[in-house]
């Protein structure tokens, strides 16, 4: 490992800090390919990435990154395999399948807490945590990220899917910021599509959407908070003081 990374990880362990976090919803195969390329580019530039993969269908990030995970986080928290066997490492990029485990947070208190503990361990190794969120559901991992990026292709079907995903997110107080990018070559037409989406989101849903060109622009400016927010969701937002203390 690089000396600079060792020092950063040591400081996070000492002060309890965390890297930045972002949830990403991809609408279409082209969007998923774009995200995979962005992740490789950031890892190649020296960012240590923890990628939590909620999508289990063909064409997910594992496929586009050329990896084949054998196990997932649920098998880890159930005690079947150690965490290292579920984690796919590729230099500065760590990929962890979490499709089944993500559904446990906020529903199964004990198993949900184990999810939080596993992710807390991994976050000490990461500068950035990226949740590749499932567009069919709103998971606790997406909510804990706090910031969400919609990635769509510059075509009607993909834009429509992105708008449908945005409608599902309306009213979720945990999500403080929304962004949109269109994968592929930037053209006048693609910028016009993005601007129209932005205007429609505000007019129809009252949601302010920023238009960005790459993954880095969507990341929050300040780090921290992902694991704490996830812990609160795992313990239940309406938990009693005694329960909250037990979850701390």
């Amino acid at each position: 490992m690089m000396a600079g990374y060792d020092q950063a990880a040591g400081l996070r362990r000492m002060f309890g800090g965390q890297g930045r976090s972002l949830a990403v919803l991809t609408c279409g195969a082209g969007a998923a390919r774009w995200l995979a390329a962005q992740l490789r580019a950031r890892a190649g530039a020296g960012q240590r990435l923890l990628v939590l993969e909620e999508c289990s269908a063909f064409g997910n990030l594992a496929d586009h990154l050329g990896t084949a995970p054998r196990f997932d986080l649920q098998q880890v928290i159930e005690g079947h395999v150690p965490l290292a066997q579920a984690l796919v490492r590729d230099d500065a990029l760590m990929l962890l399948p979490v499709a089944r485990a993500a559904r446990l947070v906020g529903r199964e208190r004990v198993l949900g807490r184990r999810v939080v503990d596993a992710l807390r361990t991994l976050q000490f190794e990461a500068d950035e945590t990226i949740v590749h969120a499932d567009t069919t559901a709103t998971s606790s991992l997406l909510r804990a990220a706090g910031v969400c990026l919609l990635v769509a292709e510059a075509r009607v079907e993909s834009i429509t899917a992105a708008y449908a995903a945005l409608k599902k997110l309306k009213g979720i107080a945990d999500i403080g910021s929304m962004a949109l990018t269109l994968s592929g070559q930037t053209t006048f037409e693609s910028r016009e599509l993005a601007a129209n989406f932005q205007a429609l989101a505000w007019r129809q849903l009252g949601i302010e959407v920023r238009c960005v060109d790459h993954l880095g622009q969507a990341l929050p400016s300040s780090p921290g908070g992902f694991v704490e927010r996830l812990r609160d969701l795992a313990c239940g937002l309406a938990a009693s003081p005694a329960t909250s203390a037990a979850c701390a």
Side-chain angles (χ1 to χ4, degrees):
M1 293 183 182
M2 297 181 294
Y5 162 68
D6 289 340
Q7 183 179 24
L11 288 172
R12 282 197 294 272
R13 286 185 183 277
M14 184 181 299
F15 297 111
Q18 301 164 10
R20 299 185 292 173
S21 60
L22 174 71
V24 183
L25 292 98
T26 53
C27 302
R33 282 194 296 271
W34 178 91
L35 177 57
Q38 290 280 305
L39 294 172
R40 284 204 179 280
R42 293 191 70 76
Q47 295 295 319
R48 298 280 170 165
L49 304 180
L50 171 60
V51 181
L52 306 177
E53 175 62 279
E54 287 190 356
C55 304
S56 55
F58 176 77
N60 63 9
L61 279 180
D63 292 330
H64 291 299
L65 291 170
T67 63
R70 294 180 56 201
F71 305 105
D72 62 27
L73 183 56
Q74 182 164 340
Q75 291 168 299
V76 173
I77 63 175
E78 289 177 345
H80 301 304
V81 296
L83 181 58
Q85 289 190 22
L87 197 67
V88 177
R89 293 181 180 268
D90 183 3
D91 193 17
L93 194 156
M94 299 181 291
L95 177 71
L96 180 64
V98 298
R100 296 191 298 164
R103 296 193 291 268
L104 299 175
V105 180
R107 297 182 181 179
E108 297 286 343
R109 190 177 297 273
V110 173
L111 294 181
R113 180 54 197 260
R114 291 178 186 172
V115 171
V116 175
D117 289 342
L119 297 184
R120 177 183 286 111
T121 298
L122 291 175
Q123 269 219 320
F124 285 125
E125 300 185 44
D127 301 311
E128 298 168 1
T129 298
I130 308 297
V131 179
H132 185 213
D134 184 353
T135 57
T136 65
T138 303
S139 75
S140 294
L141 299 185
L142 184 153
R143 293 171 60 190
V147 178
C148 187
L149 170 66
L150 290 165
V151 183
E153 301 172 69
R155 56 188 183 87
V156 173
E157 296 85 354
S158 184
I159 291 289
T160 301
Y163 187 73
L166 185 65
K167 289 203 304 186
K168 287 183 179 179
L169 300 177
K170 179 177 170 60
I172 298 176
D174 306 287
I175 300 173
S177 177
M178 291 291 310
L180 170 77
T181 191
L182 297 184
S183 60
Q185 186 176 3
T186 301
T187 63
F188 173 79
E189 289 77 11
S190 67
R191 289 195 178 277
E192 189 174 29
L193 276 173
N196 289 340
F197 184 98
Q198 188 179 32
L200 183 65
W202 178 250
R203 185 172 66 251
Q204 297 293 330
L205 303 175
I207 298 176
E208 184 177 357
V209 177
R210 295 183 297 121
C211 292
V212 301
D213 295 321
H214 56 78
L215 186 67
Q217 288 180 337
L219 281 158
S221 57
S222 58
F226 174 77
V227 168
E228 282 72 21
R229 290 189 292 269
L230 190 64
R231 180 199 60 197
D232 290 341
L233 292 167
C235 292
L237 297 180
S240 65
T243 302
S244 298
C247 290

PDB file of all heavy atoms in Angstrom, residues 24-39 59-61 64 132 135 149-155 158 162 181-184:
ATOM      1  N   VAL A  24     -25.427   5.823  -6.440  1.00  0.00           N
ATOM      2  CA  VAL A  24     -25.558   6.003  -7.889  1.00  0.00           C
ATOM      3  C   VAL A  24     -26.614   5.043  -8.410  1.00  0.00           C
ATOM      4  O   VAL A  24     -26.571   3.842  -8.128  1.00  0.00           O
ATOM      5  CB  VAL A  24     -24.218   5.741  -8.614  1.00  0.00           C
ATOM      6  CG1 VAL A  24     -24.377   6.007 -10.111  1.00  0.00           C
ATOM      7  CG2 VAL A  24     -23.110   6.603  -8.033  1.00  0.00           C
ATOM      8  N   LEU A  25     -27.578   5.569  -9.156  1.00  0.00           N
ATOM      9  CA  LEU A  25     -28.577   4.750  -9.836  1.00  0.00           C
ATOM     10  C   LEU A  25     -28.318   4.833 -11.329  1.00  0.00           C
ATOM     11  O   LEU A  25     -28.310   5.934 -11.903  1.00  0.00           O
ATOM     12  CB  LEU A  25     -29.996   5.231  -9.524  1.00  0.00           C
ATOM     13  CG  LEU A  25     -30.470   5.036  -8.088  1.00  0.00           C
ATOM     14  CD1 LEU A  25     -30.312   6.335  -7.300  1.00  0.00           C
ATOM     15  CD2 LEU A  25     -31.915   4.585  -8.036  1.00  0.00           C
ATOM     16  N   THR A  26     -28.090   3.696 -11.962  1.00  0.00           N
ATOM     17  CA  THR A  26     -27.822   3.667 -13.402  1.00  0.00           C
ATOM     18  C   THR A  26     -29.069   3.183 -14.141  1.00  0.00           C
ATOM     19  O   THR A  26     -29.680   2.198 -13.751  1.00  0.00           O
ATOM     20  CB  THR A  26     -26.632   2.750 -13.723  1.00  0.00           C
ATOM     21  OG1 THR A  26     -26.851   1.454 -13.148  1.00  0.00           O
ATOM     22  CG2 THR A  26     -25.342   3.330 -13.166  1.00  0.00           C
ATOM     23  N   CYS A  27     -29.418   3.885 -15.199  1.00  0.00           N
ATOM     24  CA  CYS A  27     -30.612   3.569 -15.986  1.00  0.00           C
ATOM     25  C   CYS A  27     -30.195   3.159 -17.391  1.00  0.00           C
ATOM     26  O   CYS A  27     -30.091   3.991 -18.302  1.00  0.00           O
ATOM     27  CB  CYS A  27     -31.548   4.776 -16.025  1.00  0.00           C
ATOM     28  SG  CYS A  27     -32.055   5.340 -14.385  1.00  0.00           S
ATOM     29  N   GLY A  28     -29.903   1.866 -17.548  1.00  0.00           N
ATOM     30  CA  GLY A  28     -29.487   1.352 -18.844  1.00  0.00           C
ATOM     31  C   GLY A  28     -28.080   0.795 -18.815  1.00  0.00           C
ATOM     32  O   GLY A  28     -27.253   1.180 -17.974  1.00  0.00           O
ATOM     33  N   ALA A  29     -27.790  -0.127 -19.744  1.00  0.00           N
ATOM     34  CA  ALA A  29     -26.478  -0.775 -19.790  1.00  0.00           C
ATOM     35  C   ALA A  29     -25.364   0.236 -20.053  1.00  0.00           C
ATOM     36  O   ALA A  29     -24.266   0.133 -19.497  1.00  0.00           O
ATOM     37  CB  ALA A  29     -26.470  -1.856 -20.866  1.00  0.00           C
ATOM     38  N   GLY A  30     -25.639   1.213 -20.907  1.00  0.00           N
ATOM     39  CA  GLY A  30     -24.637   2.234 -21.189  1.00  0.00           C
ATOM     40  C   GLY A  30     -24.290   3.042 -19.954  1.00  0.00           C
ATOM     41  O   GLY A  30     -23.131   3.432 -19.755  1.00  0.00           O
ATOM     42  N   ALA A  31     -25.275   3.288 -19.111  1.00  0.00           N
ATOM     43  CA  ALA A  31     -25.046   4.030 -17.879  1.00  0.00           C
ATOM     44  C   ALA A  31     -24.162   3.233 -16.925  1.00  0.00           C
ATOM     45  O   ALA A  31     -23.280   3.785 -16.259  1.00  0.00           O
ATOM     46  CB  ALA A  31     -26.379   4.372 -17.218  1.00  0.00           C
ATOM     47  N   ALA A  32     -24.401   1.922 -16.827  1.00  0.00           N
ATOM     48  CA  ALA A  32     -23.582   1.072 -15.962  1.00  0.00           C
ATOM     49  C   ALA A  32     -22.142   0.999 -16.475  1.00  0.00           C
ATOM     50  O   ALA A  32     -21.189   1.004 -15.693  1.00  0.00           O
ATOM     51  CB  ALA A  32     -24.183  -0.324 -15.854  1.00  0.00           C
ATOM     52  N   ARG A  33     -21.967   0.936 -17.797  1.00  0.00           N
ATOM     53  CA  ARG A  33     -20.611   0.940 -18.362  1.00  0.00           C
ATOM     54  C   ARG A  33     -19.905   2.251 -18.039  1.00  0.00           C
ATOM     55  O   ARG A  33     -18.714   2.269 -17.723  1.00  0.00           O
ATOM     56  CB  ARG A  33     -20.671   0.726 -19.878  1.00  0.00           C
ATOM     57  CG  ARG A  33     -20.911  -0.712 -20.297  1.00  0.00           C
ATOM     58  CD  ARG A  33     -20.619  -0.902 -21.776  1.00  0.00           C
ATOM     59  NE  ARG A  33     -21.530  -0.121 -22.613  1.00  0.00           N
ATOM     60  CZ  ARG A  33     -22.707  -0.560 -23.051  1.00  0.00           C
ATOM     61  NH1 ARG A  33     -23.118  -1.775 -22.722  1.00  0.00           N
ATOM     62  NH2 ARG A  33     -23.469   0.199 -23.811  1.00  0.00           N
ATOM     63  N   TRP A  34     -20.642   3.354 -18.137  1.00  0.00           N
ATOM     64  CA  TRP A  34     -20.067   4.664 -17.810  1.00  0.00           C
ATOM     65  C   TRP A  34     -19.588   4.687 -16.368  1.00  0.00           C
ATOM     66  O   TRP A  34     -18.481   5.155 -16.072  1.00  0.00           O
ATOM     67  CB  TRP A  34     -21.116   5.750 -18.037  1.00  0.00           C
ATOM     68  CG  TRP A  34     -20.679   7.138 -17.708  1.00  0.00           C
ATOM     69  CD1 TRP A  34     -20.092   8.049 -18.550  1.00  0.00           C
ATOM     70  CD2 TRP A  34     -20.784   7.804 -16.429  1.00  0.00           C
ATOM     71  NE1 TRP A  34     -19.832   9.224 -17.889  1.00  0.00           N
ATOM     72  CE2 TRP A  34     -20.234   9.102 -16.583  1.00  0.00           C
ATOM     73  CE3 TRP A  34     -21.291   7.425 -15.190  1.00  0.00           C
ATOM     74  CZ2 TRP A  34     -20.196  10.022 -15.536  1.00  0.00           C
ATOM     75  CZ3 TRP A  34     -21.230   8.332 -14.135  1.00  0.00           C
ATOM     76  CH2 TRP A  34     -20.697   9.612 -14.314  1.00  0.00           C
ATOM     77  N   LEU A  35     -20.411   4.177 -15.449  1.00  0.00           N
ATOM     78  CA  LEU A  35     -20.042   4.169 -14.038  1.00  0.00           C
ATOM     79  C   LEU A  35     -18.801   3.317 -13.806  1.00  0.00           C
ATOM     80  O   LEU A  35     -17.893   3.716 -13.070  1.00  0.00           O
ATOM     81  CB  LEU A  35     -21.205   3.666 -13.184  1.00  0.00           C
ATOM     82  CG  LEU A  35     -20.929   3.552 -11.683  1.00  0.00           C
ATOM     83  CD1 LEU A  35     -20.483   4.892 -11.102  1.00  0.00           C
ATOM     84  CD2 LEU A  35     -22.154   3.020 -10.949  1.00  0.00           C
ATOM     85  N   ALA A  36     -18.739   2.151 -14.423  1.00  0.00           N
ATOM     86  CA  ALA A  36     -17.572   1.285 -14.265  1.00  0.00           C
ATOM     87  C   ALA A  36     -16.302   1.995 -14.737  1.00  0.00           C
ATOM     88  O   ALA A  36     -15.258   1.926 -14.075  1.00  0.00           O
ATOM     89  CB  ALA A  36     -17.776  -0.015 -15.043  1.00  0.00           C
ATOM     90  N   ALA A  37     -16.392   2.701 -15.858  1.00  0.00           N
ATOM     91  CA  ALA A  37     -15.231   3.436 -16.371  1.00  0.00           C
ATOM     92  C   ALA A  37     -14.831   4.563 -15.424  1.00  0.00           C
ATOM     93  O   ALA A  37     -13.637   4.816 -15.195  1.00  0.00           O
ATOM     94  CB  ALA A  37     -15.540   3.994 -17.760  1.00  0.00           C
ATOM     95  N   GLN A  38     -15.820   5.258 -14.859  1.00  0.00           N
ATOM     96  CA  GLN A  38     -15.540   6.324 -13.912  1.00  0.00           C
ATOM     97  C   GLN A  38     -14.855   5.790 -12.653  1.00  0.00           C
ATOM     98  O   GLN A  38     -13.920   6.403 -12.123  1.00  0.00           O
ATOM     99  CB  GLN A  38     -16.847   7.019 -13.529  1.00  0.00           C
ATOM    100  CG  GLN A  38     -17.473   7.852 -14.636  1.00  0.00           C
ATOM    101  CD  GLN A  38     -16.820   9.209 -14.780  1.00  0.00           C
ATOM    102  OE1 GLN A  38     -16.733   9.968 -13.830  1.00  0.00           O
ATOM    103  NE2 GLN A  38     -16.332   9.513 -15.969  1.00  0.00           N
ATOM    104  N   LEU A  39     -15.304   4.638 -12.172  1.00  0.00           N
ATOM    105  CA  LEU A  39     -14.707   4.039 -10.984  1.00  0.00           C
ATOM    106  C   LEU A  39     -13.255   3.643 -11.245  1.00  0.00           C
ATOM    107  O   LEU A  39     -12.376   3.881 -10.410  1.00  0.00           O
ATOM    108  CB  LEU A  39     -15.521   2.819 -10.542  1.00  0.00           C
ATOM    109  CG  LEU A  39     -16.936   3.104 -10.040  1.00  0.00           C
ATOM    110  CD1 LEU A  39     -17.694   1.802  -9.817  1.00  0.00           C
ATOM    111  CD2 LEU A  39     -16.918   3.925  -8.752  1.00  0.00           C
ATOM    112  N   GLY A  59     -25.256  -7.696 -16.204  1.00  0.00           N
ATOM    113  CA  GLY A  59     -24.980  -6.338 -16.626  1.00  0.00           C
ATOM    114  C   GLY A  59     -24.727  -5.386 -15.484  1.00  0.00           C
ATOM    115  O   GLY A  59     -24.697  -4.174 -15.682  1.00  0.00           O
ATOM    116  N   ASN A  60     -24.524  -5.941 -14.282  1.00  0.00           N
ATOM    117  CA  ASN A  60     -24.221  -5.070 -13.142  1.00  0.00           C
ATOM    118  C   ASN A  60     -22.751  -4.646 -13.199  1.00  0.00           C
ATOM    119  O   ASN A  60     -22.031  -4.931 -14.159  1.00  0.00           O
ATOM    120  CB  ASN A  60     -24.580  -5.758 -11.822  1.00  0.00           C
ATOM    121  CG  ASN A  60     -23.771  -7.021 -11.578  1.00  0.00           C
ATOM    122  OD1 ASN A  60     -22.825  -7.329 -12.291  1.00  0.00           O
ATOM    123  ND2 ASN A  60     -24.143  -7.761 -10.562  1.00  0.00           N
ATOM    124  N   LEU A  61     -22.291  -3.970 -12.148  1.00  0.00           N
ATOM    125  CA  LEU A  61     -20.925  -3.453 -12.164  1.00  0.00           C
ATOM    126  C   LEU A  61     -19.878  -4.561 -12.222  1.00  0.00           C
ATOM    127  O   LEU A  61     -18.836  -4.393 -12.858  1.00  0.00           O
ATOM    128  CB  LEU A  61     -20.681  -2.589 -10.925  1.00  0.00           C
ATOM    129  CG  LEU A  61     -21.187  -1.155 -10.984  1.00  0.00           C
ATOM    130  CD1 LEU A  61     -20.856  -0.437  -9.685  1.00  0.00           C
ATOM    131  CD2 LEU A  61     -20.598  -0.408 -12.172  1.00  0.00           C
ATOM    132  N   HIS A  64     -19.302  -5.387 -15.785  1.00  0.00           N
ATOM    133  CA  HIS A  64     -18.603  -4.335 -16.527  1.00  0.00           C
ATOM    134  C   HIS A  64     -17.169  -4.130 -16.048  1.00  0.00           C
ATOM    135  O   HIS A  64     -16.330  -3.630 -16.803  1.00  0.00           O
ATOM    136  CB  HIS A  64     -19.386  -3.021 -16.435  1.00  0.00           C
ATOM    137  CG  HIS A  64     -20.684  -3.047 -17.185  1.00  0.00           C
ATOM    138  ND1 HIS A  64     -20.762  -3.242 -18.550  1.00  0.00           N
ATOM    139  CD2 HIS A  64     -21.962  -2.918 -16.762  1.00  0.00           C
ATOM    140  CE1 HIS A  64     -22.021  -3.221 -18.938  1.00  0.00           C
ATOM    141  NE2 HIS A  64     -22.774  -3.035 -17.872  1.00  0.00           N
ATOM    142  N   HIS A 132     -23.881   1.345  -5.530  1.00  0.00           N
ATOM    143  CA  HIS A 132     -24.586   1.182  -6.810  1.00  0.00           C
ATOM    144  C   HIS A 132     -25.973   0.670  -6.484  1.00  0.00           C
ATOM    145  O   HIS A 132     -26.195  -0.515  -6.273  1.00  0.00           O
ATOM    146  CB  HIS A 132     -23.841   0.202  -7.722  1.00  0.00           C
ATOM    147  CG  HIS A 132     -24.457   0.094  -9.081  1.00  0.00           C
ATOM    148  ND1 HIS A 132     -24.461  -1.081  -9.811  1.00  0.00           N
ATOM    149  CD2 HIS A 132     -25.098   1.015  -9.852  1.00  0.00           C
ATOM    150  CE1 HIS A 132     -25.077  -0.872 -10.966  1.00  0.00           C
ATOM    151  NE2 HIS A 132     -25.475   0.384 -11.000  1.00  0.00           N
ATOM    152  N   THR A 135     -32.478   0.272  -8.700  1.00  0.00           N
ATOM    153  CA  THR A 135     -33.491   1.258  -9.109  1.00  0.00           C
ATOM    154  C   THR A 135     -34.905   0.813  -8.762  1.00  0.00           C
ATOM    155  O   THR A 135     -35.834   1.622  -8.814  1.00  0.00           O
ATOM    156  CB  THR A 135     -33.424   1.515 -10.623  1.00  0.00           C
ATOM    157  OG1 THR A 135     -33.582   0.271 -11.325  1.00  0.00           O
ATOM    158  CG2 THR A 135     -32.102   2.153 -11.016  1.00  0.00           C
ATOM    159  N   LEU A 149     -26.716  10.245  -7.297  1.00  0.00           N
ATOM    160  CA  LEU A 149     -26.455  10.578  -8.695  1.00  0.00           C
ATOM    161  C   LEU A 149     -27.254   9.644  -9.592  1.00  0.00           C
ATOM    162  O   LEU A 149     -27.157   8.425  -9.470  1.00  0.00           O
ATOM    163  CB  LEU A 149     -24.959  10.437  -9.009  1.00  0.00           C
ATOM    164  CG  LEU A 149     -24.572  10.526 -10.483  1.00  0.00           C
ATOM    165  CD1 LEU A 149     -24.850  11.928 -11.043  1.00  0.00           C
ATOM    166  CD2 LEU A 149     -23.098  10.152 -10.684  1.00  0.00           C
ATOM    167  N   LEU A 150     -28.046  10.218 -10.490  1.00  0.00           N
ATOM    168  CA  LEU A 150     -28.746   9.456 -11.515  1.00  0.00           C
ATOM    169  C   LEU A 150     -27.902   9.473 -12.786  1.00  0.00           C
ATOM    170  O   LEU A 150     -27.494  10.542 -13.248  1.00  0.00           O
ATOM    171  CB  LEU A 150     -30.112  10.077 -11.814  1.00  0.00           C
ATOM    172  CG  LEU A 150     -31.187   9.953 -10.730  1.00  0.00           C
ATOM    173  CD1 LEU A 150     -32.326  10.919 -11.020  1.00  0.00           C
ATOM    174  CD2 LEU A 150     -31.709   8.528 -10.658  1.00  0.00           C
ATOM    175  N   VAL A 151     -27.639   8.288 -13.335  1.00  0.00           N
ATOM    176  CA  VAL A 151     -26.887   8.193 -14.589  1.00  0.00           C
ATOM    177  C   VAL A 151     -27.817   7.624 -15.649  1.00  0.00           C
ATOM    178  O   VAL A 151     -28.340   6.513 -15.502  1.00  0.00           O
ATOM    179  CB  VAL A 151     -25.645   7.291 -14.451  1.00  0.00           C
ATOM    180  CG1 VAL A 151     -24.849   7.294 -15.760  1.00  0.00           C
ATOM    181  CG2 VAL A 151     -24.776   7.750 -13.286  1.00  0.00           C
ATOM    182  N   ALA A 152     -28.043   8.389 -16.697  1.00  0.00           N
ATOM    183  CA  ALA A 152     -28.944   7.956 -17.765  1.00  0.00           C
ATOM    184  C   ALA A 152     -28.236   8.075 -19.105  1.00  0.00           C
ATOM    185  O   ALA A 152     -27.244   8.796 -19.248  1.00  0.00           O
ATOM    186  CB  ALA A 152     -30.217   8.804 -17.769  1.00  0.00           C
ATOM    187  N   GLU A 153     -28.743   7.336 -20.075  1.00  0.00           N
ATOM    188  CA  GLU A 153     -28.268   7.479 -21.439  1.00  0.00           C
ATOM    189  C   GLU A 153     -29.102   8.545 -22.149  1.00  0.00           C
ATOM    190  O   GLU A 153     -30.221   8.849 -21.737  1.00  0.00           O
ATOM    191  CB  GLU A 153     -28.395   6.144 -22.175  1.00  0.00           C
ATOM    192  CG  GLU A 153     -27.604   5.017 -21.516  1.00  0.00           C
ATOM    193  CD  GLU A 153     -27.923   3.674 -22.157  1.00  0.00           C
ATOM    194  OE1 GLU A 153     -27.542   3.481 -23.322  1.00  0.00           O
ATOM    195  OE2 GLU A 153     -28.572   2.848 -21.491  1.00  0.00           O
ATOM    196  N   ALA A 154     -28.551   9.106 -23.182  1.00  0.00           N
ATOM    197  CA  ALA A 154     -29.239  10.175 -23.907  1.00  0.00           C
ATOM    198  C   ALA A 154     -30.264   9.583 -24.879  1.00  0.00           C
ATOM    199  O   ALA A 154     -30.175   9.754 -26.102  1.00  0.00           O
ATOM    200  CB  ALA A 154     -28.229  11.047 -24.649  1.00  0.00           C
ATOM    201  N   ARG A 155     -31.228   8.876 -24.328  1.00  0.00           N
ATOM    202  CA  ARG A 155     -32.325   8.322 -25.120  1.00  0.00           C
ATOM    203  C   ARG A 155     -33.580   8.299 -24.254  1.00  0.00           C
ATOM    204  O   ARG A 155     -33.506   8.297 -23.020  1.00  0.00           O
ATOM    205  CB  ARG A 155     -31.990   6.928 -25.654  1.00  0.00           C
ATOM    206  CG  ARG A 155     -31.602   5.919 -24.605  1.00  0.00           C
ATOM    207  CD  ARG A 155     -31.092   4.629 -25.216  1.00  0.00           C
ATOM    208  NE  ARG A 155     -30.795   3.634 -24.208  1.00  0.00           N
ATOM    209  CZ  ARG A 155     -31.671   2.790 -23.704  1.00  0.00           C
ATOM    210  NH1 ARG A 155     -32.932   2.802 -24.141  1.00  0.00           N
ATOM    211  NH2 ARG A 155     -31.325   1.908 -22.797  1.00  0.00           N
ATOM    212  N   SER A 158     -34.171   5.605 -21.342  1.00  0.00           N
ATOM    213  CA  SER A 158     -33.298   5.766 -20.188  1.00  0.00           C
ATOM    214  C   SER A 158     -33.677   6.993 -19.368  1.00  0.00           C
ATOM    215  O   SER A 158     -33.709   6.949 -18.131  1.00  0.00           O
ATOM    216  CB  SER A 158     -31.840   5.872 -20.654  1.00  0.00           C
ATOM    217  OG  SER A 158     -30.963   5.942 -19.555  1.00  0.00           O
ATOM    218  N   ALA A 162     -34.962   7.144 -15.483  1.00  0.00           N
ATOM    219  CA  ALA A 162     -34.334   8.017 -14.495  1.00  0.00           C
ATOM    220  C   ALA A 162     -35.377   8.878 -13.791  1.00  0.00           C
ATOM    221  O   ALA A 162     -35.312   9.087 -12.572  1.00  0.00           O
ATOM    222  CB  ALA A 162     -33.283   8.906 -15.163  1.00  0.00           C
ATOM    223  N   THR A 181     -26.308  12.889 -14.627  1.00  0.00           N
ATOM    224  CA  THR A 181     -25.359  12.952 -15.729  1.00  0.00           C
ATOM    225  C   THR A 181     -25.853  12.045 -16.840  1.00  0.00           C
ATOM    226  O   THR A 181     -26.534  11.033 -16.589  1.00  0.00           O
ATOM    227  CB  THR A 181     -23.933  12.535 -15.297  1.00  0.00           C
ATOM    228  OG1 THR A 181     -23.009  12.860 -16.329  1.00  0.00           O
ATOM    229  CG2 THR A 181     -23.858  11.040 -14.999  1.00  0.00           C
ATOM    230  N   LEU A 182     -25.552  12.395 -18.071  1.00  0.00           N
ATOM    231  CA  LEU A 182     -25.887  11.562 -19.218  1.00  0.00           C
ATOM    232  C   LEU A 182     -24.605  10.929 -19.726  1.00  0.00           C
ATOM    233  O   LEU A 182     -23.627  11.625 -20.030  1.00  0.00           O
ATOM    234  CB  LEU A 182     -26.548  12.390 -20.327  1.00  0.00           C
ATOM    235  CG  LEU A 182     -27.895  13.026 -19.959  1.00  0.00           C
ATOM    236  CD1 LEU A 182     -28.491  13.748 -21.167  1.00  0.00           C
ATOM    237  CD2 LEU A 182     -28.881  11.980 -19.460  1.00  0.00           C
ATOM    238  N   SER A 183     -24.588   9.592 -19.771  1.00  0.00           N
ATOM    239  CA  SER A 183     -23.394   8.878 -20.194  1.00  0.00           C
ATOM    240  C   SER A 183     -23.179   9.065 -21.687  1.00  0.00           C
ATOM    241  O   SER A 183     -24.088   9.424 -22.433  1.00  0.00           O
ATOM    242  CB  SER A 183     -23.520   7.392 -19.861  1.00  0.00           C
ATOM    243  OG  SER A 183     -24.634   6.825 -20.525  1.00  0.00           O
ATOM    244  N   GLY A 184     -21.965   8.805 -22.117  1.00  0.00           N
ATOM    245  CA  GLY A 184     -21.656   8.938 -23.541  1.00  0.00           C
ATOM    246  C   GLY A 184     -21.062  10.301 -23.849  1.00  0.00           C
ATOM    247  O   GLY A 184     -20.780  11.115 -22.966  1.00  0.00           O
TER     248      GLY A 184
END
